[in-house]
């Protein structure tokens, strides 16, 4: 899957995983959101998503502490919708052209950036509606299956629940971690992966993990809102460039 990589590609791949891990450490989500648009300049979407395989497992697993079992019941309807939607979205991902996937990634990045930048929250009455939660999860799942950018949409839902900071971080990671099973399960059905591909994906998880540790320290010192808005502005610009490149 990863043949004839030049130095430019390797440097950009390291940059993408490092920045993605750092942002994940600071705001609890964002590794694919940051890494995918950068990777799209040197890899096709299927290569880029598999390169993230070990990284997204590692950085989300690190934040699973299982301290907040009582909060888990709040996301059961969301999780049901997510699981169903991701199966459909993942199948669609393998049936459509790479350029269209890249365009979808670009549009999704811009949409997520605008929504998160505006601090949009879902009405509390809707959050109590099981049908809405399942439907919202289903929509997020389809989009997440096609792009792996499910984290920001999950974050919008969890922020609207007004969770404590540690509950929010844990539930974001738990939900994303659970999404990886259908995403990569279907990926392995459709794509031929060799042992060297796994080694490369594992090697690129190292900078993501180290930069996540740095992000944890920044999370304690820097106002997250300030950092998040700077990142989201940067992502909007990158998203526009990704769409332009693949139009």
């Amino acid at each position: 899957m990863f043949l004839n990589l030049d130095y430019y590609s390797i440097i950009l791949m390291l940059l993408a995983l490092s920045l993605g891990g750092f942002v994940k450490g600071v705001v609890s989500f964002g590794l694919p959101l940051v890494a995918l648009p950068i990777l799209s300049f040197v890899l096709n979407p299927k290569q880029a998503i598999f390169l993230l395989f070990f990284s997204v497992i590692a950085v989300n697993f690190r934040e699973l502490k299982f301290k907040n079992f009582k909060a888990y019941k709040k996301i059961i309807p969301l999780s049901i919708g997510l699981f169903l939607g991701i199966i459909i979205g993942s199948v669609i991902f393998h049936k459509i052209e790479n350029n269209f996937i890249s365009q979808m990634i670009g549009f999704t990045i811009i949409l997520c950036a605008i929504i998160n930048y505006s601090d949009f929250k879902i009405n509390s009455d809707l959050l109590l509606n099981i049908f809405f939660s399942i439907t919202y999860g289903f929509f997020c799942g389809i989009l997440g299956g096609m792009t792996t950018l499910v984290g920001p949409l999950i974050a919008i839902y969890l922020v609207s629940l007004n969770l404590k900071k540690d509950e929010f971080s844990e539930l974001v990671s738990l939900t994303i971690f659970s999404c990886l099973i259908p995403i990569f399960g279907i990926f392995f059905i459709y794509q031929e992966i060799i042992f060297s591909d796994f080694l490369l994906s594992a090697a690129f998880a190292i900078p993501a993990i180290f930069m996540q540790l740095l992000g944890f320290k920044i999370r304690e010192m820097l106002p997250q809102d300030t950092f998040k808005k700077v990142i989201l502005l940067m992502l909007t610009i990158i998203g526009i460039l990704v769409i332009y490149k693949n139009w």
Side-chain angles (χ1 to χ4, degrees), residues 124-177:
S124 58
D125 291 336
L126 288 175
L127 294 173
L128 296 174
N129 187 305
I130 294 177
F131 178 75
F132 170 82
S133 296
I134 292 175
T135 304
Y136 181 85
F138 184 72
F139 169 76
C140 293
I142 291 177
L143 203 55
M146 293 174 63
T147 63
T148 72
L149 300 178
V150 68
L153 298 172
I154 293 172
I156 293 168
Y157 186 93
L158 295 180
V159 165
S160 302
L161 289 173
N162 294 315
L163 300 169
K164 295 179 181 178
K165 189 174 180 179
D166 58 338
E167 286 181 325
F168 173 80
S169 298
E170 184 176 327
L171 290 185
V172 166
S173 293
L174 175 66
T175 311
I176 295 174
F177 192 80

Side-chain angles (χ1 to χ4, degrees), residues 64-85:
L64 296 184
K65 300 179 177 64
F66 300 104
K67 293 180 179 178
N68 301 298
F69 286 106
K70 291 182 179 179
Y72 292 178
K73 63 182 180 181
K74 298 177 183 178
I75 62 169
I76 290 175
L78 174 74
S79 300
I80 293 171
L82 271 172
F83 185 80
L84 297 174

